[in-house]
Coordinates of all heavy atoms in Angstrom, one line a residue:
G15 N 70.0 -29.9 8.1 CA 68.5 -29.7 8.3 C 68.2 -29.1 9.7 O 68.9 -28.1 10.1
S16 N 67.3 -29.6 10.4 CA 66.8 -29.0 11.6 C 67.7 -29.2 12.8 O 67.6 -28.4 13.7 CB 65.4 -29.5 11.9 OG 65.5 -30.8 12.4
G17 N 68.5 -30.2 12.8 CA 69.5 -30.3 13.8 C 69.1 -30.8 15.2 O 69.6 -30.5 16.2
T18 N 68.0 -31.6 15.2 CA 67.6 -32.2 16.5 C 68.7 -33.1 17.0 O 68.9 -33.1 18.3 CB 66.3 -32.9 16.4 OG1 66.4 -34.0 15.5 CG2 65.1 -32.0 15.9
N19 N 69.4 -33.8 16.2 CA 70.5 -34.6 16.7 C 71.6 -33.8 17.2 O 72.2 -34.1 18.2 CB 71.0 -35.6 15.6 CG 70.1 -36.8 15.5 OD1 70.1 -37.7 16.3 ND2 69.2 -36.8 14.5
G93 N 72.5 -35.8 10.3 CA 71.5 -35.4 9.3 C 72.2 -34.6 8.2 O 71.6 -33.8 7.6
M95 N 73.0 -34.7 4.5 CA 72.4 -35.4 3.5 C 73.2 -35.5 2.2 O 72.7 -35.3 1.1 CB 71.0 -34.8 3.2 CG 70.1 -34.8 4.4 SD 69.9 -36.4 5.2 CE 68.8 -37.2 4.1
I113 N 74.6 -41.2 11.5 CA 73.3 -41.8 12.1 C 72.4 -42.0 10.9 O 72.2 -41.1 10.0 CB 72.7 -41.0 13.2 CG1 71.5 -41.8 13.8 CG2 72.2 -39.6 12.7 CD1 71.5 -41.8 15.3
H114 N 71.8 -43.2 10.8 CA 70.9 -43.5 9.7 C 69.6 -44.0 10.3 O 69.5 -44.8 11.3 CB 71.5 -44.6 8.9 CG 70.7 -45.0 7.7 ND1 70.6 -44.2 6.6 CD2 69.8 -46.0 7.5 CE1 69.7 -44.7 5.7 NE2 69.3 -45.8 6.2
P115 N 68.4 -43.5 9.7 CA 67.1 -43.8 10.3 C 66.5 -45.1 9.9 O 65.4 -45.2 9.5 CB 66.3 -42.6 9.9 CG 66.9 -42.2 8.6 CD 68.4 -42.5 8.7
Q176 N 63.5 -40.6 15.5 CA 64.4 -39.5 15.9 C 64.5 -39.5 17.4 O 65.6 -39.2 18.0 CB 63.8 -38.2 15.5 CG 64.2 -37.9 14.0 CD 64.2 -36.4 13.7 OE1 63.5 -35.6 14.3 NE2 65.0 -36.1 12.7
E179 N 67.1 -41.8 18.1 CA 68.4 -41.3 17.7 C 69.0 -40.3 18.7 O 70.2 -40.3 18.9 CB 68.2 -40.5 16.4 CG 67.9 -41.4 15.2 CD 67.8 -40.6 13.9 OE1 67.5 -39.3 14.0 OE2 67.8 -41.2 12.8
Ligands
LIG1 C1 67.8 -37.9 11.2 O1 66.7 -38.6 11.4 C2 68.9 -38.7 10.5 O2 68.8 -40.1 10.9 C3 68.7 -38.5 9.1 O3 68.3 -37.2 9.0 C4 67.6 -36.8 10.1 C5 68.2 -35.5 10.5 O4 67.4 -34.9 11.6 N1 69.8 -38.8 8.3 C6 69.8 -39.5 7.2 O5 68.8 -39.8 6.6 C7 71.2 -39.7 6.6 N2 71.1 -40.5 5.4 P1 68.0 -33.7 12.4 O6 68.5 -32.6 11.4 O7 66.8 -33.2 13.1 O8 69.1 -34.2 13.3

Side-chain angles (χ1 to χ4, degrees):
S16 74
T18 62
N19 280 286
M95 301 307 284
I113 187 137
H114 183 74
Q176 278 204 335
E179 292 181 341

